[in-house]
Amino acid sequence: MKANCILLRYGELALKGKNKKEFENRLVKNIREKLKQFPGCEVTRVHGRIFVELKEHHSEPVMEACSEVFGLVGISPAIRTEKDWEKIKQAALAITEEQGERIQTFKVNSKRADKKFPIRSLEMNHRLGGFLLGKLSHLRVDVHHPDMTLSVEVRSTHAYVYGNSLPGLGGLPVGVSGRVMLLLSGGIDSPVAGYLALKRGAELQAVHFHSFPFTSERAKQKVIDLARILTRFGGHIRLHVVPFTDIQTEINRHCYESYTITVMRRIMVRIAERIADRNKALALVTGESLGQVASQTLESMRTINAVTTMPILRPLIGMDKQEIMDISKRINTYETSILPYEDCCTVFLPKAPKTRPDREVAERLEARLDLERLIQEAVDGTEVIDLRPEQEEEFSCF
Ligand code: ATP
Ligand code: MG
C-alpha cells in the first residue's frame, strides 16, 4: 500500500464569512492550475481540508508542486481507504514503515467523524498503537513529543490515514487581494518584493524599464527569466517591457547629475501608474528598502511618491540585505539576479546621487523635458510578454 492521495491543510485563522469562501475557492482553483502538469490528479475540498487524489502519480513531485502554492500550511501524503478495520491497519503500517528509522517515537491520533463506525477513537488509538509496536520493533510511543503523529480520520465515505506534514508556504492564495504592478529590475531585491506581494494574495504583473542599447538584450532576458521563476508561485504573470532609452538620454542631457536618479524614478513611477491603470492593478510594488543605498532615504521616497496617488508597496522595508538574499536563494531567483548584466540604473549611476532630493527641484528639472510626449511614447512602445510556468514566453505589443 502506498500514498494514494495528499492531504492539504490551510490556515483559516483570520478568515470569516465571505472572505473564507473566497479564500477557499481561490485556493482550490490555484491548486488545480498548479497541478495541471499531473493529468488525472483530482482536487476536492472536504471539511476544511483539501484532498488531491494522485491516481497514477507519485506523491513527491505533486507535494513539491503544492509546496509552491500560497495559502497552504501543511502537506501530507495520505492513504485513503475503505472504512474497513483491516485496511486501516495496513494503511497505518504502510505510512509508518515508509518513514523507516527516521522516526523512533510516535503516537496515534484517531478521529471518528462517522459515529456508525464501530470502533471509538480512543480504542482505535490503542489498537493501532499496539499493532504498530508489534510490527516495528524500533518504535516507542511518546504522547508528548512524538517524532510522528499518525492520524486516522474515519469519515462518511472513506477513512484517511496520514503521518507528519511538510510545512506549506503560508500566506494567502494568489488573487484574493487584487492585482499589483511590480517594478522589476534585474537585481536581487525586486523579485523578492514580488514574491512577498504574491504571498499576501496579490496577483502580479510586472513592468521593466529597458534602455537598449545601453543595456543589452541579455539584461532583458534576465528579467524575463526572473519573472518566469515567480510564475511558479504566482501562475500567469504579464511582463511589460518599457523602452526607456529616449527618456534616459533626455534626463542626462537636461538634469543635474545628482538628480538623474530621482527624476528617472519619478518618471518610472508615472509610467508604471499608467500601465497599472490600464491593467486594473491597484498598487505599485518596488524592491526598495530603507537606507540601503543613497537613493533609498525617506526624503527620496517622498519626492518619488509625490508623482502618484497610487499606493507604492515596499515589502522589503523592514528587512536587512542578508534576509532578502536568504529569501532570494530560497525562491531560486538569486543565481539569476547576480548574473552580471547591467541595469539602466547602473549604467547611468551618478557619482554622488542626492540623498535628500527636493521635490521642487525635481519638478523644475522635469519642466525642461517634453515629459508628456516622452511618457506617452514609452507607454505606446511597451512590449507585453505573457509568462506562464513551463511554457515559452508569448510576445505581443499593445
Ligand atoms: P533591485 O535589487 O530590485 O534592483 P536595488 O537595491 O538595486 O533593487 P534600486 O536600484 O535603488 O535598488 O532600485 C529600487 C527599485 O526600483 C527596484 O527594487 C525596482 O523595484 C525599481 N527599479 C529599478 N530599476 C528598474 C528597472 N530598470 N525596471 C523596473 N524597475 C526598476
Ligand atoms: Mg537594482
Side-chain angles (χ1 to χ4, degrees), residues 185-190 265 296 343 345-346:
S185 71
I188 292 171
D189 301 335
S190 43
R265 286 269 188 276
Q296 297 182 3
D343 183 55
C345 308
T346 40

Side-chain angles (χ1 to χ4, degrees), residues 2-13:
K2 64 184 179 64
N4 55 12
C5 70
I6 290 172
L7 169 72
L8 303 172
R9 250 172 299 229
Y10 47 92
E12 42 177 342
L13 239 74

Side-chain angles (χ1 to χ4, degrees), residues 290-301:
L290 197 53
Q292 204 183 79
V293 290
S295 57
Q296 297 182 3
T297 61
L298 285 176
E299 289 86 351
S300 170
M301 285 182 198

Side-chain angles (χ1 to χ4, degrees), residues 54-169:
L54 286 168
K55 300 289 167 63
E56 77 280 14
H57 299 284
H58 285 291
S59 56
E60 283 85 11
V62 178
M63 287 172 63
E64 208 167 293
C66 292
S67 74
E68 295 176 341
V69 177
F70 285 116
L72 294 174
V73 297
I75 303 167
S76 355
I79 295 180
R80 191 177 76 154
T81 166
E82 287 155 50
K83 294 191 297 183
D84 171 274
W85 180 238
E86 266 318 302
K87 295 220 162 106
I88 292 173
K89 274 164 63 183
Q90 292 313 317
L93 181 60
I95 291 278
T96 314
E97 260 180 338
E98 202 176 302
Q99 295 299 315
E101 305 269 325
R102 268 174 301 187
I103 61 146
Q104 298 290 320
T105 58
F106 77 108
K107 75 168 180 183
V108 183
N109 183 9
S110 304
K111 239 189 254 156
R112 189 179 60 137
D114 173 13
K115 301 295 178 208
K116 282 188 236 128
F117 189 72
I119 310 172
R120 287 164 179 263
S121 308
L122 275 181
E123 178 71 21
M124 272 197 275
N125 288 350
H126 287 135
R127 287 207 208 169
L128 280 175
F131 171 69
L132 292 174
L133 287 173
K135 289 279 181 192
L136 304 167
S137 56
H138 69 284
L139 281 186
R140 279 178 299 115
V141 171
D142 180 344
V143 290
H144 299 296
H145 304 287
D147 295 337
M148 178 181 88
T149 300
L150 181 85
S151 302
V152 178
E153 292 183 25
V154 181
R155 299 211 168 267
S156 54
T157 57
H158 290 90
Y160 297 90
V161 182
Y162 54 92
N164 287 343
S165 61
L166 296 175
L169 278 184

Side-chain angles (χ1 to χ4, degrees), residues 182-191 207-210 261 264-265 268 285-288 292-293 295-296 321 343-345:
L182 169 69
L183 278 77
L184 182 60
S185 71
I188 292 171
D189 301 335
S190 43
V207 53
H208 175 66
F209 298 90
H210 184 51
I261 292 272
M264 184 179 82
R265 286 269 188 276
M268 282 183 177
V285 178
T286 76
E288 291 165 295
Q292 204 183 79
V293 290
S295 57
Q296 297 182 3
K321 192 72 186 182
D343 183 55
C344 62
C345 308

